[in-house]
Amino acid sequence: MEIKVINEYITLGQLLKKADFIQSGGEAKFAVKELDITVNGEKEDRRGRKLYSNDVVVIEGKTITLL
């Protein structure tokens, strides 16, 4: 899956919502602790992590490339 970054960056919490892993932003805090998430090959659990173009995020085995 590919997602275009419109601004300079998108946060991990926003990405979770955009990719339909959560329904609301309030769920992000719990989702990042429960889901298996890596950013560029490194484990991540901060919902505020800034993601930029060319980052590769894997959430529960689903790969998302940011454009």
Side-chain angles (χ1 to χ4, degrees):
M1 168 186 250
E2 295 178 339
I3 293 182
K4 184 167 178 68
V5 178
I6 297 172
N7 297 321
E8 180 183 352
Y9 65 87
I10 184 173
T11 66
L12 181 56
Q14 292 169 330
L15 179 66
L16 288 170
K17 187 172 178 186
K18 193 168 195 132
D20 292 325
F21 279 94
I22 59 174
Q23 299 302 314
S24 71
E27 295 176 37
K29 181 177 182 178
F30 303 104
V32 294
K33 301 295 183 194
E34 298 296 320
L35 298 174
D36 181 28
I37 302 172
T38 61
V39 177
N40 300 325
E42 297 180 13
K43 177 92 172 113
E44 186 57 68
D45 64 358
R46 297 173 292 159
R47 67 178 176 187
R49 165 75 186 261
K50 294 177 182 177
L51 305 169
Y52 300 91
S53 295
N54 299 319
D55 281 346
V56 176
V57 182
V58 179
I59 305 169
E60 294 291 316
K62 183 177 182 179
T63 302
I64 301 170
T65 303
L66 301 177
L67 305 175

